[in-house]
Amino acid sequence: MKGHYKNILCVLSDAHRQDDTVAQALHIAKAHQASLTIMLSLEALPPNASMVMESFSYIDSQQSMETQAKHWLKEQAENWGEQYDVSTAVTVGQPLIDVVHYVIRNDIDLVIKRAEESFLDKLFGSLDMRLFRKCPCPVWIINHKPRSQYKNVVAALDLNYHYPTHEVSIRRDLNRDILQHAAQIALLEFAQLHIVHVFDAVPENIARDGFITVDNDRMETDLAKIHSEREEELERLLTELSNELDENVWEYLNPQKHIVHGYPRREIAATTTSLDTDIIVMGTVARLGVPGYIMGSTAEETIHQLKCAVVGVKPRGFESPISAE
C-alpha cells in the first residue's frame, strides 16, 4: 500500500543523538514510499558574536559554522543513505522561518522532528509548538525514544458542530483529514486505530464552584442527547472512510470508538494514556483567517500532557502567516 505522504522533511536542530530521530524518519519514509530530505536547521549567531567569541579558535564566523554543518551532515547522510535514499539541506538563521520556507518552496507534505526536551522551550514556546501553529503541512513530532513500530494509533476528533455554518464545514473536513491520516498510519504500521472524542456539557470547574445551578436529572438527559449526537456524527465519518477502502482493508482496520464525557483539556490526554497510545493525530488549528490560531489552547494544553508521538493537522485552506519570500 502506498502511503499518505510523498515529500517528507526531517528537521534536526543539532548534531547530538540524532540517529534515533533519523531512523524513525527513514522508517516513516519507507512505509509511505516517500522522498526524504534531512535538514539541519541551526540558529544564526547573534550580531555581536564576533566580539563575544574572539577568544575561541574552533569557530570563526557564521559562514564557518555553516560549512562545518554541511560537512557533518554529508558524512552522516552517507551512512543513512545506505538504508534509504536521502537528500540533505543546511540552514543557518531562524529555524521556524527557514523550515516553513523550505516546506512551501519544495512542496513538502510532512515535517518530522524530535520533541524538544528543555523546560524553557515548553515555557516560552518551543519550535515544536510554533511549527504546529504555523507550518502549512502536517507536523509529526516523535518521542525522545521512538518505538520501531506503533501498536496503537489515536485519532482525536472534535465532533461538536454547534458553530456558524461556514465553520462547521471546516471542522468536518478537518475531522475527515485527521481520520484519514490516522487510518493510513494504522494500516502501514499494522496498528490498532482508536478514535477519541471528549465532550463537555457544562465546564466542570464552573459547576463545581457553584457559579450556576445544575439540575442533575436534566443534565443526565442532556448528556445522553449529546452522546447520541456525537456518536451519529462519528458514524457518518466512519461510513465515508469505509467507502474509500476495500472491504477487507476496512475489516482489518476495525477502528475502536471512545466517546468520553469530561474536560477535554484533561481527558484527551488521560484517555490516550489509558490506551497505551504510540501516536495521536489531532487538529492544531481550528479556524481559518486567524494566523496561528490553535484551538482555543485546548490542543496546546493537551500536547504538553502527552507522552506519545503527535501528528498535528491543519484545516484545508490554511495559509501560514510566514510567506514563501
Side-chain angles (χ1 to χ4, degrees):
M1 172 182 293
K2 192 176 175 73
H4 205 84
Y5 312 111
K6 297 179 181 178
N7 298 306
I8 297 175
L9 178 67
C10 175
V11 177
L12 310 181
S13 297
D14 55 52
H16 303 292
R17 306 186 310 278
Q18 295 291 1
D19 284 344
D20 285 347
T21 305
V22 174
Q24 188 76 348
L26 289 168
H27 170 72
I28 295 167
K30 287 178 184 178
H32 290 261
Q33 301 174 41
S35 66
L36 175 62
T37 300
I38 300 173
M39 171 189 282
L40 178 59
S41 185
L42 303 174
E43 290 274 1
L45 295 175
N48 63 344
S50 59
M51 293 183 294
V52 174
M53 307 183 78
E54 276 181 344
S55 62
F56 294 84
S57 59
Y58 61 85
I59 187 166
D60 302 313
S61 65
Q62 181 165 311
Q63 184 176 4
S64 174
M65 180 172 69
E66 185 171 354
T67 300
Q68 291 298 320
K70 287 180 178 178
H71 178 70
W72 174 85
L73 187 58
K74 181 180 178 182
E75 284 190 338
Q76 297 298 313
E78 289 177 358
N79 295 325
W80 297 328
E82 293 177 0
Q83 304 175 53
Y84 194 78
D85 187 37
V86 299
S87 302
T88 60
V90 171
T91 62
V92 179
Q94 297 176 275
L96 174 66
I97 294 174
D98 291 339
V99 170
V100 172
H101 282 177
Y102 194 93
V103 166
I104 295 172
R105 292 168 181 166
N106 294 277
D107 197 26
I108 300 295
D109 53 17
L110 177 68
V111 168
I112 299 172
K113 186 181 175 298
R114 179 180 178 178
E116 294 176 8
E117 302 179 61
S118 167
F119 173 75
L120 289 177
D121 283 330
K122 292 183 178 180
L123 187 63
F124 294 110
S126 68
L127 175 58
D128 301 349
M129 295 307 300
R130 286 179 285 162
L131 286 170
F132 277 137
R133 296 187 191 107
K134 298 180 179 180
C135 182
C137 71
V139 176
W140 187 325
I141 301 296
I142 65 176
N143 303 53
H144 302 144
K145 295 182 179 179
R147 302 183 186 182
S148 58
Q149 184 174 339
Y150 296 139
K151 295 181 180 178
N152 292 295
V153 178
V154 164
L157 304 182
D158 180 2
L159 301 170
N160 179 9
Y161 295 150
H162 294 277
Y163 291 92
T165 303
H166 70 281
E167 190 167 331
V168 170
S169 63
I170 292 171
R171 288 174 177 268
R172 277 202 169 100
D173 285 341
L174 180 57
N175 281 327
R176 291 186 184 99
D177 291 341
I178 291 169
L179 195 52
Q180 287 177 344
H181 281 270
Q184 280 281 343
I185 294 169
L187 289 170
L188 290 170
E189 294 286 337
F190 302 100
Q192 176 63 61
L193 174 62
H194 299 271
I195 303 168
V196 172
H197 168 65
V198 178
F199 69 94
D200 188 14
V202 177
E204 184 181 292
N205 59 317
I206 295 177
R208 183 180 62 244
D209 292 338
F211 292 119
I212 62 173
T213 301
V214 177
D215 182 324
N216 289 330
D217 290 338
R218 178 66 179 272
M219 176 64 71
E220 289 300 321
T221 300
D222 289 345
L223 290 175
K225 288 181 180 179
I226 294 173
H227 188 283
S228 177
E229 170 193 281
R230 305 299 163 82
E231 196 165 35
E232 288 178 9
E233 292 293 343
L234 180 53
E235 285 301 322
R236 289 191 189 98
L237 287 170
L238 291 176
T239 298
E240 291 177 5
L241 180 62
S242 68
N243 290 337
E244 296 175 7
L245 300 174
D246 292 339
E247 185 176 350
N248 60 333
V249 174
W250 177 248
E251 289 178 358
Y252 177 83
L253 190 63
N254 187 30
Q256 304 297 300
K257 298 177 290 184
H258 309 270
I259 299 179
V260 180
H261 171 231
Y263 194 41
R265 300 186 188 194
R266 181 178 62 239
E267 294 300 331
I268 293 174
T271 303
T272 298
T273 299
S274 71
L275 294 171
D276 191 25
T277 301
D278 297 294
I279 183 168
I280 180 172
V281 183
M282 61 189 297
T284 55
V285 177
R287 293 179 179 176
L288 296 178
V290 184
Y293 185 91
I294 186 166
M295 271 197 185
S297 80
T298 297
E300 188 162 358
E301 287 190 31
T302 298
I303 288 169
H304 283 316
Q305 299 173 59
L306 295 170
K307 304 298 183 184
C308 62
V310 181
V311 176
V313 180
K314 309 293 191 305
R316 300 176 192 178
F318 173 84
E319 293 185 9
S320 174
I322 301 172
S323 69
E325 299 301 325

